[in-house]
């Protein structure tokens, strides 16, 4: 028996988070299922950014820096509230890739006699390249282990790669393809038992589900702000360093924003104590207000409530997959257990790429495609409705059933 559209419309009517949708700019009728790639624009960010441009940059000019200089730590403290970190343990700066490089270099530098860095082969490409680069530049080996293609990395698969030569393990908390949610606590403990440091990439989990870095004993973490935190394209990322490590780790890019009393303009590098030493150069202030507004909205909605709604939505979509899509040759490539997955679902189909294109061009649904055959559907419970999720599934069924992709080409666009 099909889950009726009227049933999900009722769910929207009863949804306590429904009012947050109006806080976003929604200018077309398209169903947006790609909030894990680029979140929607909060209306308040438009006002904040134009105020910053006109009143800040336009009127205050360089005097604005008296206020802006504290943005990285102030907004970092707000993000700390989303990931279970303490005050002055998170800072907003640079991109995720650059922050990963800084923290990975700092971590291996603190373990000079250990010659390996570990990740799994399902980790995000930029993480692979950065970790490979760190290994290469420091004369280490990058060990990649194979994690389960659906369930993601766990202590069993990690154990194959872990020994007392490992300096650092770095993994994604939620897998970018399959949405597998790793057991942060158990994996971090296993890594510590081997005497290594643990660096988590929170890109696909921050803003989508509760995180407790402190409770899990996490050493280091990075994450981006333009996915579930809705901070805008290219908005700066964040990094977390456990307080006890602040003075033990030294990051590799010595810039003036990491310098103690930077405006003394001293000749020799003398890092700021604490999290500030992980900064490098001038932060992008216009984008920073996007981070602040995005984070503020997630905090206001409440990460626990968002997680509940996200699970309800993905659970419903899995039920619809089983009924509508599985008979058409679609395979669910995400964990079925709600507590093992993030806020998106991966559907595999041999014609996945053309199906994605047809959804965008003919059916007004915006998913994204990940090689080789994965259609990703993300729900961002702060603005995605149950009805949208239902409709997106129904249109996917129509697309495949009626082969609406048949006339499209396999040639990949530059951005998928
Ligand atoms: C999105 C994402 C990134 C993005 O890195 P940028 O430096 O912001 O381009 C990195 N790692 C993971 C796991 C991601 O999902």
């Amino acid at each position: 028996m099909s889950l009726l559209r009227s049933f999900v419309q009722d769910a929207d009517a009863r949804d306590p988070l429904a009012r947050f949708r109006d806080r976003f700019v929604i200018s077309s009728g398209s169903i947006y299922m790609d909030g894990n790639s680029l979140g929607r624009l909060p209306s308040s960010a438009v006002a904040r950014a134009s105020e910053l441009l006109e009143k800040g940059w336009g009127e205050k000019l360089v005097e604005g820096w008296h206020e802006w200089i504290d943005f990285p730590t102030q907004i970092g403290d707000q993000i700390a509230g989303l990931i279970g970190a303490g005050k002055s343990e998170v800072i907003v700066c640079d991109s995720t890739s650059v922050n990963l490089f800084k923290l990975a270099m700092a971590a291996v530098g603190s373990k000079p006699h250990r010659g390996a860095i570990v990740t799994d082969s399902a980790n995000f490409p930029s993480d692979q390249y950065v970790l490979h680069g760190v290994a290469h530049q420091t004369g280490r080996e990058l060990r990649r282990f194979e994690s389960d293609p659906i369930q993601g990395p766990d202590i069993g698969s990690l154990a194959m790669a872990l020994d007392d030569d490992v300096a650092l393990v770095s993994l994604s908390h939620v897998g970018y393809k399959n949405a597998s949610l790793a057991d942060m606590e158990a994996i971090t403990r296993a890594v510590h038992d081997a005497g290594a440091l643990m660096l988590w990439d929170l890109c696909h989990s921050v803003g989508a589900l509760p995180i407790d870095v402190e409770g899990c004993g996490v050493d280091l973490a990075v994450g981006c702000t333009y996915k579930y935190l809705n901070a805008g394209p290219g908005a700066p990322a964040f990094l977390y360093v456990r307080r006890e490590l602040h003075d033990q780790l030294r990051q590799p890019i010595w810039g003036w924003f990491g310098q103690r009393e930077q405006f003394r303009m001293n000749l020799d590098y003398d890092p700021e104590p604490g999290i500030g030493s992980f900064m490098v150069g001038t932060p992008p202030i216009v984008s920073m207000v996007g981070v602040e507004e995005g984070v503020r909205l997630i905090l206001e909605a409440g990460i626990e409530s968002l997680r509940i709604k996200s699970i309800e939505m993905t659970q419903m979509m899995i039920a619809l997959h089983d009924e509508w899509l599985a008979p058409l040759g679609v395979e669910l490539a995400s964990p079925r257990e709600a507590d093992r997955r993030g806020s998106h679902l991966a559907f595999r189909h041999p014609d996945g790429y053309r199906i994605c294109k047809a959804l965008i061009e003919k059916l007004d649904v915006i998913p994204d495609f990940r090689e080789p055959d994965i259609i990703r559907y993300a729900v961002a419970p702060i603005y995605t409705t149950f009805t949208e999720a239902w409709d997106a599934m129904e249109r996917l069924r129509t697309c495949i059933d009626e082969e609406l992709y048949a006339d499209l080409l396999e040639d990949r666009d530059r951005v998928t």
Side-chain angles (χ1 to χ4, degrees), residues 53 69 114 123 128 160 189 219 224 231 234 236 239 244 247 257 261 274 281 295 302 327 354 362 384 405:
L53 289 170
I69 197 86
R114 289 174 171 243
N123 204 350
Q128 303 285 354
M160 317 284 274
R189 196 179 319 117
D219 303 302
C224 71
L239 63 83
E244 299 76 56
D247 299 328
F257 269 73
E261 300 176 344
V295 171
R354 293 192 297 156
K362 302 182 183 183
T384 311
Y405 55 87

Side-chain angles (χ1 to χ4, degrees), residues 17 208-209 228 304-317 341-344 379-381 386:
L17 294 172
L209 48 93
Y228 294 104
E304 305 282 347
S305 311
L306 290 165
R307 175 63 170 162
I308 291 169
K309 181 176 171 188
S310 158
I311 288 175
E312 285 172 1
M313 294 179 110
T314 49
Q315 208 69 346
M316 169 194 85
M317 290 159 73
R341 64 170 189 268
S343 201
H344 73 269
V379 294
F386 285 93

